[in-house]
Amino acid sequence: MIGRNLIKILSRNNKIYAVVRDKSRIIDLEMNENIVIIELDLSNISQTDIRALPSDVDTIYYLAQSRRFREFPEGSEDVFNVNVEAPLRLINWATYHGVRKFIYASSGGVYTNPTSPIKEFFMINANEKLGFYLSSKLSSEMLLRNYSSFFETFAILRPFFVYGPGQNNTMLIPRLINNIMRGEEIILSGEEGIKIDPIYVSDSAEAFAKVLDLKGEYLINIAGAEIISIKQLSLLIAEMVGREPKFRYESGKQMDLVADISLMKQLLHTPKVSLREGIREVLKSWG
């Protein structure tokens, strides 16, 4: 989802090679003469695949996401291949071919025992279990950072709850919409559920695009400007669709996952799309 929006921005002034698993999903973008679509499954990438990539590349954005990130242990190999093996192969290829910039999309979920707001320099406790998906993201961060000196720009971006039209129904905001529309319960830890700061996909893509203007090594949170609890978010969606949400309250309280976005606003982009506006756009595409 971020990639689709990002290449629309970048293709205004750049030639883009869009590496996708299924070409049919972005066939509409093939009409743009600045976009070349390459069909390649990063969960099963070979040296032959790597050697076939175009060598006239200045920048690599690695945004790939395993489709099996919720399936453990059945999907663990797919997650590892997409989150660790493929980026490692690509960054080695990039150093050989003189690629100038490498940007890796990690996840805001890698922070352990977060306090709000989470700053990029907060320590991450490697002794805590993050789950396989987030552990693979953090592992890749640690491995890829060893290559930073080979690039004019090396950046790890940690997105927090990106949302927008066309998002997979397993993600948070589509799940909340589905639950409300179907009259199904939304489970909350404590009275309000966790607090988050979601970011609309166009704002996240604008932030990713601005990395091209940076030089040096960076670690930057990507999140929205509004902090909201899961209950408040559910009530907002319910108001907009004209339904009454059903909540089930569980004892205890999970840690909030709210990012400090001072660095993002300073270096990249200040979010422009409000939560109400963003959810309205999601609902317009709902079918």
Side-chain angles (χ1 to χ4, degrees), residues 179-180 182-187 245-248:
N179 283 11
I180 291 166
R182 296 171 182 169
E184 297 174 358
E185 288 183 333
I186 296 167
I187 300 171
K246 295 180 180 179
F247 296 112
R248 187 176 64 178

Side-chain angles (χ1 to χ4, degrees), residues 121-164:
F121 59 78
F122 280 12
M123 295 295 292
I124 294 174
N125 185 355
N127 292 319
E128 291 203 17
K129 292 181 180 178
L130 287 169
F132 193 86
Y133 169 75
L134 291 172
S135 294
S136 71
K137 282 292 189 183
L138 184 58
S139 298
S140 202
E141 283 191 23
M142 295 169 67
L143 294 170
L144 296 177
R145 288 182 72 176
N146 288 282
Y147 291 82
S148 62
S149 62
F150 290 93
F151 299 95
E152 174 187 286
T153 305
F154 176 86
I156 292 172
L157 305 184
R158 290 174 174 165
F160 286 67
F161 298 101
V162 180
Y163 72 99

